[in-house]
Amino acid sequence: MDNHDNNNNNNNNKTPMVRIQSTVEMGSFEERSVIEFEDESLESPASIPRKKHSFHAAPHISADGSDHCYPEEIIRNSVIDSIKIVVFSAKINLLMPFGPLAILVDKLSGNHSWVFFLSLLGIIPLAERLGYATEQLAWFTGPTVGGLLNATFGNATELIISIHALKIGMIRVVQQSLLGSILSNMLLVLGCAFFGGGLVFFEQEQVFNKGAVAVDSGLLLMAVMGLLFPAVLHSTHTELHFGTSELALSRFSSCIMLVAYASYLVFQLRRQKNVYVPVSEGETQIEGSSDDEEAPEISKWESIIWLSILTAWISVLSEYLVDAIEGASVSLKIPVAFISVILLPIVGNAAEHAGAVMFAVKDKLDISLGVAIGSSTQIAMFGIPFCVVVGWVMGRPMDLNFQLFETATLFITVLVVAFMLQLLQVSLYT
């Protein structure tokens, strides 16, 4: 850290650039993602004195590297207190009434446009609170189970919407919404994070973890390969059994991708248990200070109950949302492709996207990259193959053939982002 501070002082008058720290210097990318989400604009004044929850929560790990799980009896909240913490602690929850209103409009008028619009608004705070409940539960389960929880529920909203769309046979909506989630994370969110961070910290360097970004980029390229083969097979008309060969290839590739993602999780959770500490320029690390130590706000069973309630409520609203897509497309004269690629991904990740930009503005660019690229990796390596397997179980021909144009778009996006990050590394030494 002394060398880091000296470099920072020497570069005060130089042209600003983004500097990449090595894995040894900064530790695992995902492990440092417990930096607090300090955006007070999303919280009510009553929640400010309480310890804020982490954006990607993980169980606290002590300075000696040992796991530390909070005992359940530490937190004793009444039902009213629990509701206040979960429902009334964030201003984004002001959108929650739009969910019941969407159901009411559907029953009374059946106007697909209003049902679709209200359902979109109603799901946004539920998705954010679902992530919060997952983070709170992770404090009591240990790092391995906590990491698996975050991996499972990290994109639960998109998966729930996709499953409802699969049930009624809207396979293209599923494919385009998952593709849109990856593109919005890698282009919109990452671009806004770089732009916002550059505006605020234009006179100094911002740091992020080169090693973790390289791993995620490699997994994304692997996922693109899995999507590319069925699309090429379909476009070249070289399949032995038309309509079935690409489906069989997609299911086989999906199983391989799920195994690869599981192996990646095992590597991250078992091989990289370092101390969870924030790293940013000019910061002094105060480990062991009780004032800076995070703590869960609700108990383990409260977290489980809230997870169940929020998942069920998102599932109900998702059904109304999916049923209203085609009607809303006709009445609003908006293509279904635009709704699937643009609007649906924003719904599931609105709070997460805003948080990624906030982190970059607060000189925590590595966490912004974790949200943008890490979430894209999770969707590509877990979300898409999972939907293929679920469609297999349902008897729906969900495959990895996202059509040649969409697959090429994803391939070019991954390459552009990977090369851009590599160029940032090269610029450090020029």
Side-chain angles (χ1 to χ4, degrees):
M1 291 301 297
D2 293 335
N3 295 333
H4 177 66
D5 294 335
N6 293 334
N7 292 335
N8 188 31
N9 294 330
N10 294 333
N11 291 330
N12 283 336
N13 298 322
K14 294 181 179 181
T15 303
M17 64 182 69
V18 178
R19 187 168 69 82
I20 303 103
Q21 291 186 339
S22 64
T23 306
V24 175
E25 182 181 358
M26 295 184 63
S28 173
F29 184 57
E30 286 79 4
E31 291 167 348
R32 293 180 44 259
S33 61
V34 298
I35 298 175
E36 297 171 315
F37 183 30
E38 298 171 346
D39 177 26
E40 297 181 0
S41 64
L42 297 179
E43 301 188 15
S44 62
S47 66
I48 293 176
R50 191 177 288 117
K51 292 292 182 182
K52 297 180 176 63
H53 64 275
S54 62
F55 193 72
H56 289 294
H60 177 72
I61 293 184
S62 60
D64 59 357
S66 59
D67 300 348
H68 179 70
C69 300
Y70 280 85
E72 185 181 355
E73 60 269 13
I74 285 182
I75 300 176
R76 296 289 185 181
N77 291 322
S78 64
V79 175
I80 301 299
D81 291 336
S82 181
I83 294 176
K84 287 180 179 179
I85 293 172
V86 177
V87 179
F88 298 105
S89 64
K91 291 182 180 179
I92 195 174
N93 292 343
L94 293 174
L95 298 176
M96 280 189 177
F98 287 108
L101 188 58
I103 299 176
L104 184 62
V105 170
D106 180 73
K107 299 299 182 183
L108 295 179
S109 66
N111 189 311
H112 292 294
S113 301
W114 279 106
V115 172
F116 176 78
F117 178 71
L118 294 173
S119 299
L120 279 178
L121 295 179
I123 290 177
I124 290 175
L126 297 177
E128 191 274 336
R129 290 289 88 183
L130 184 67
Y132 169 78
T134 304
E135 294 162 3
Q136 294 297 302
L137 181 59
W139 286 101
F140 304 96
T141 58
T144 302
V145 178
L148 292 174
L149 283 173
N150 281 297
T152 304
F153 287 95
N155 294 285
T157 304
E158 292 96 323
L159 294 179
I160 292 173
I161 294 175
S162 298
I163 290 173
H164 280 292
L166 277 176
K167 287 172 60 178
I168 60 177
M170 301 178 68
I171 296 177
R172 286 296 291 163
V173 171
V174 176
Q175 293 176 333
Q176 291 173 340
S177 64
L178 294 174
L179 176 68
S181 296
I182 300 175
L183 296 179
S184 64
N185 275 301
M186 299 195 69
L187 297 177
L188 176 64
V189 179
L190 192 59
C192 290
F194 279 130
F195 183 74
L199 286 179
V200 177
F201 298 98
F202 62 92
E203 292 184 348
Q204 69 183 60
E205 298 175 355
Q206 286 188 287
V207 298
F208 63 87
N209 189 341
K210 176 189 66 176
V213 171
V215 172
D216 284 333
S217 299
L219 287 173
L220 280 172
L221 286 173
M222 178 181 177
V224 171
M225 288 178 59
L227 298 177
L228 188 62
F229 291 148
V232 171
L233 182 65
H234 176 80
S235 301
T236 56
H237 306 287
T238 55
E239 48 188 336
L240 294 178
H241 305 284
F242 183 78
T244 59
S245 295
E246 64 185 69
L247 182 60
L249 178 60
S250 298
R251 291 169 176 173
F252 175 77
S253 299
S254 297
C255 295
I256 297 298
M257 292 164 67
L258 289 174
V259 171
Y261 186 70
S263 302
Y264 165 72
L265 287 180
V266 171
F267 171 75
Q268 292 290 351
L269 300 174
R270 295 188 179 275
R271 296 297 183 183
Q272 300 184 22
K273 293 183 181 179
N274 298 325
V275 181
Y276 289 75
V277 291
V279 175
S280 62
E281 298 211 359
E283 271 190 355
T284 302
Q285 297 181 8
I286 310 177
E287 298 177 4
S289 173
S290 60
D291 293 336
D292 294 335
E293 184 175 338
E294 295 181 0
E297 296 179 337
I298 57 178
S299 67
K300 180 176 70 174
W301 286 107
E302 287 178 81
S303 302
I304 294 174
I305 292 173
W306 279 112
L307 270 178
S308 304
I309 294 174
L310 292 169
T311 302
W313 187 224
I314 290 175
S315 179
V316 171
L317 284 184
S318 297
E319 186 172 357
Y320 284 92
L321 176 68
V322 171
D323 290 339
I325 286 178
E326 291 183 347
S329 173
V330 173
S331 59
L332 297 176
K333 296 181 174 57
I334 299 176
V336 175
F338 180 84
I339 293 176
S340 303
V341 176
I342 305 298
L343 297 182
L344 294 184
I346 291 177
V347 169
N349 295 299
E352 190 177 48
H353 291 177
V357 179
M358 300 281 183
F359 278 128
V361 171
K362 294 176 181 179
D363 199 17
K364 298 171 183 176
L365 189 60
D366 55 325
I367 308 302
S368 298
L369 286 168
V371 174
I373 300 182
S375 181
S376 298
T377 303
Q378 190 178 85
I379 296 171
M381 291 296 295
F382 175 74
I384 294 176
F386 178 78
C387 288
V388 172
V389 174
V390 170
W392 191 1
V393 174
M394 291 182 176
R396 301 292 183 181
M398 171 69 185
D399 56 25
L400 296 179
N401 179 19
F402 280 38
Q403 305 302 325
L404 199 57
F405 175 76
E406 287 91 337
T407 306
T409 302
L410 178 60
F411 180 65
I412 294 173
T413 299
V414 173
L415 286 183
V416 167
V417 172
F419 280 132
M420 180 194 66
L421 296 175
Q422 289 297 320
L423 288 175
L424 290 176
Q425 177 188 358
V426 173
S427 67
L428 174 64
Y429 302 102
T430 57

